Amino acid sequence: MDSNFSDEKLMKIEAQAAVREISFAVEFVEISTKLPNTDERAYMNIRTKEGTKFCVELTVQGYRIVGSQFDNTDDTTDVSDSIFYETIYALLDQHSPKYRLTFGETLAGKLQCLQQVQGNEETTEVQ
């Protein structure tokens, strides 16, 4: 089976996963219902915690911002000038300082909880 074919089939699934994974760190995110989402291409609408709106396209090349409004690809966006990001996290890290902050705080909180659980387990084992 051609690996490009399987990668292309995953675009919709990848976009759905990205929506779930970043929803905690942005103000709003959804798969576009107005732009054509196919096995080769998916569009997401994102509003950062700073209030900036993006229309993001996902292809086998990666994630890239294609518009500054929801459900809208700017005609001025030239593919040769576009920056593709390997992950949605990399795109948001570059364009949303509050995303970085929220991501860091959430990670620190989860690590602290894990540390407390491990501490409780060690205390239980000693008794």
Side-chain angles (χ1 to χ4, degrees):
M1 176 181 251
D2 183 9
S3 67
N4 259 355
F5 178 76
S6 61
D7 287 346
E8 289 172 354
K9 285 289 190 185
L10 294 175
M11 291 304 105
K12 287 181 186 176
I13 296 167
E14 177 77 19
Q16 291 167 344
V19 166
R20 284 189 306 273
E21 292 171 8
I22 66 168
S23 62
F24 75 96
V26 296
E27 193 173 293
F28 177 82
V29 60
E30 70 174 359
I31 303 289
S32 174
T33 56
K34 295 181 181 174
L35 294 174
N37 291 294
T38 66
D39 291 332
E40 295 82 25
R41 181 178 323 272
Y43 293 94
M44 300 166 49
N45 295 317
I46 299 173
R47 183 171 44 246
T48 66
K49 289 195 172 195
E50 292 86 1
T52 305
K53 290 182 181 180
F54 297 124
C55 184
V56 174
E57 176 190 61
L58 170 61
T59 66
V60 292
Q61 292 176 288
Y63 293 86
R64 73 179 177 128
I65 297 171
V66 293
S68 57
Q69 294 296 319
F70 290 169
D71 302 312
N72 188 12
T73 58
D74 292 341
D75 292 334
T76 58
T77 304
D78 181 7
V79 174
S80 63
D81 293 337
S82 294
I83 297 173
F84 284 91
Y85 296 89
E86 190 172 324
T87 65
I88 191 65
Y89 313 115
L91 184 148
L92 287 170
D93 191 60
Q94 185 69 33
H95 294 278
S96 176
K98 288 184 179 180
Y99 165 80
R100 277 194 306 272
L101 180 64
T102 302
F103 183 86
E105 289 172 346
T106 302
L107 181 59
K110 287 182 179 182
L111 289 173
Q112 186 175 17
C113 287
L114 182 60
Q115 187 178 24
Q116 288 173 350
V117 167
Q118 288 177 340
N120 290 342
E121 288 174 358
E122 288 173 5
T123 302
T124 303
E125 288 174 9
V126 171
Q127 295 175 355

